[in-house]
Amino acid sequence: MKKKLISLAMLVTVFAMQVVGVSAASKTTTMAATGAAQGKYDVEAMSQSEVADVAKVNQTAADLIKDVNAGTKTLDDIAKAESSIASDLTGESLVSAFMDVTPINGGVQLADGRYQVTLSVPALTKGMTDVKVLHFSTARNVWEVITPSNVDLNNKELTFEVEDLSPIAIIAKVDASQAVTNTTGTSPKTGVDSTNTVPFAGAAVVLLGAAAVVAFRKKNA
């Protein structure tokens, strides 16, 4: 019996390690500057201080960005709050969370002064069409939807040009049968945070542990 309990305990441990490993992996897949833009832009998750910077310009925009990243709001909420871009968001889904893009040493600028940015977006798949960049300009206090100059679904990259840089998110029309988890663990369709799988994983571990206890008690009853 002791051997069986030890085996069951090992099974619980292995299961827990696998779940933690999957959860950790889902958080490491993120956007990054690539190609000619590599080393020219810093791309990072929105911190509280960066959200606060947006709030200085537009509190509503800051709240939307924060809530979308938290998985409690979706593109529909942005469309309702910002009628100027509502039609551009129709049928679109979030592919990534909002990320902050900052030029390094001037970034890559075109002759007209616009920034040209090429990003690696691991969440892009062949099931996506009409890929666009949703941008809130803190410099101009305006939301805009940018059509990339190039989208490479095979290499999971896109290139776009923008007047100024601040929070961006990648959006697209997503084939529901090929929907993928985005870079921060939110579902493109629902905005549900995949980190919610952690409590379920914990519950599974607890259940397995409980099964071991029950087995032990039955043996000794």
Side-chain angles (χ1 to χ4, degrees):
M1 182 61 189
K2 183 181 291 186
K3 289 183 178 180
K4 289 183 178 180
L5 287 175
I6 292 174
S7 297
L8 184 55
M10 291 177 66
L11 177 62
V12 171
T13 302
V14 171
F15 175 78
M17 290 176 66
Q18 288 176 337
V19 170
V20 170
V22 170
S23 177
S26 68
K27 292 185 178 182
T28 58
T29 307
T30 186
M31 293 190 293
T34 189
Q38 188 170 8
K40 298 293 185 179
Y41 297 95
D42 183 34
V43 185
E44 59 182 15
M46 294 289 294
S47 66
Q48 289 185 351
S49 62
E50 287 159 349
V51 173
D53 288 339
V54 176
K56 293 176 183 177
V57 178
N58 188 317
Q59 183 63 57
T60 299
D63 290 340
L64 285 168
I65 290 171
K66 179 182 66 176
D67 291 343
V68 165
N69 280 4
T72 58
K73 289 192 176 178
T74 66
L75 282 183
D76 287 341
D77 295 295
I78 296 179
K80 290 174 184 176
E82 301 296 330
S83 58
S84 61
I85 60 170
S87 60
D88 294 316
L89 300 181
T90 301
E92 299 280 325
S93 300
L94 282 164
V95 174
S96 80
F98 281 96
M99 305 285 286
D100 193 63
V101 182
T102 308
I104 299 174
N105 296 325
V108 179
Q109 288 186 283
L110 302 175
D112 60 6
R114 290 183 301 156
Y115 294 98
Q116 185 176 67
V117 185
T118 299
L119 295 178
S120 169
V121 186
L124 287 176
T125 72
K126 293 181 180 179
M128 297 177 183
T129 58
D130 200 25
V131 179
K132 294 179 181 177
V133 178
L134 175 59
H135 173 233
F136 178 74
S137 169
T138 53
R140 291 173 284 129
N141 188 20
V142 64
W143 285 95
E144 59 185 356
V145 178
I146 302 167
T147 299
S149 53
N150 183 62
V151 176
D152 185 344
L153 294 178
N154 289 322
N155 292 313
K156 301 179 182 296
E157 295 178 357
L158 62 80
T159 299
F160 66 96
E161 290 74 41
V162 63
E163 186 175 334
D164 49 75
L165 282 164
S166 25
I168 68 161
I170 308 304
I171 61 176
K173 286 184 171 63
V174 181
D175 182 339
S177 65
Q178 300 184 48
V180 295
T181 302
N182 76 17
T183 58
T184 60
T186 59
S187 162
K189 283 291 180 184
T190 65
V192 176
D193 193 338
S194 71
T195 55
N196 287 337
T197 58
V198 174
F200 289 109
V205 171
V206 171
L207 287 173
L208 283 173
V213 173
V214 170
F216 179 78
R217 287 178 177 176
K218 285 185 176 180
K219 180 65 177 179
N220 290 277

